[in-house]
Amino acid sequence: MCGIVGYVGRTMDDTALNVVMEGLARLEYRGYDSAGVALVTEDGVATEKRSGKLENLRSALEAHPLAPSRTGIGHTRWATHGGPTDGNAHPHRGGEGNRLALIHNGIIENFHSLKKQLLAEGVEFSSETDTEVAAKLVGREYDRLGDLTEAMRAVVSRLEGAFTLLAVHADSPGVAVGARRNSPLVVGLGDGANFLGSAVAAVIVMPAMSSRLALLIAAAKDTSPLPTPADRLKMSVLPARNTTRVGVPPVTKVRARRAPSVRSRGSALLS
């Protein structure tokens, strides 16, 4: 099972990268064959990824440091579609100028048909993965809609399978957006920083955690409608049995501020 970590903070420094790398290290027990990160910097989205162990990624980052950032995502991959290569490692890019980066846990069952459609429209791919199909689709929808949350909503309704997606975009430097279907997603709210992860281990020891920490563990089949702003209720801590239930995967939007958590029909939309 792949590992996913996301972070949004307030200051442009090395914290985002350090938090993401620490989170990935705490997910090594899940097994993986490549790793990568993406940071939203002042110059756009910067990525680095390497096949092999996390140490290979650390060495690459030391040799070619990424610019300061307050928003980052990271991934450890267990190869399914495509071998364990640098090119198949996450994150994958999409949208005009490749200004979007996306990571993925799970399997997109209908990616072959979606990729065939994109290839017919002239979209070029650099990997063998189902993840890159999602990245291209979300990137195109962002170019059309100009909103990362709505772009994610539009795409996940077309995807089949069990998955978690997490994306950042150069035009939204303080936002990370995640979506899940039949796959876990943990959201941690701290003081001055928020976190996303595929397991509690990825976020539970992060800086800025406090007694006001809220965790949402989402792992159920999605069946009920998406929430509206009027549906939003305050949440403290949700145990694992309180799960999301929406018609398409719920979209979680995490910004760099202490926002009230949300519970609506068991679902969440954080902003």
Side-chain angles (χ1 to χ4, degrees), residues 75-97:
H75 186 269
T76 52
R77 175 180 185 252
W78 189 259
T80 52
H81 299 99
T85 66
D86 290 354
N88 286 332
H90 302 200
H92 289 287
R93 309 296 291 267
E96 183 177 356

Side-chain angles (χ1 to χ4, degrees), residues 36-64:
V37 296
L39 302 179
V40 183
T41 73
E42 291 183 348
D43 296 323
V45 174
T47 62
E48 188 64 80
K49 53 186 183 177
R50 287 291 184 271
S51 60
K53 295 301 182 182
L54 202 55
E55 189 57 38
N56 295 349
L57 177 60
R58 290 193 186 98
S59 297
L61 290 168
E62 290 174 1
H64 305 284

Side-chain angles (χ1 to χ4, degrees), residues 42 113 245 257:
E42 291 183 348
S113 60
R245 301 178 64 81
R257 57 186 173 86

Side-chain angles (χ1 to χ4, degrees), residues 189-269:
L189 303 182
D191 289 329
N194 295 328
F195 312 86
L196 289 158
S198 53
V200 174
V203 302
I204 200 64
V205 296
M206 297 303 182
M209 290 303 188
S210 72
S211 60
R212 291 179 291 276
L213 169 68
L215 289 178
L216 168 64
I217 302 176
K221 185 176 181 179
D222 310 309
T223 56
S224 59
L226 285 167
T228 65
D231 293 325
R232 300 179 181 182
L233 302 173
K234 186 175 181 179
M235 174 184 72
S236 54
V237 178
L238 285 179
R241 64 180 179 271
N242 289 15
T243 55
T244 59
R245 301 178 64 81
V246 293
V248 296
V251 175
T252 300
K253 181 178 182 179
V254 176
R255 292 185 181 275
R257 57 186 173 86
R258 218 187 109 221
S261 53
V262 180
R263 182 183 177 190
S264 168
R265 301 173 189 157
S267 62
L269 177 61

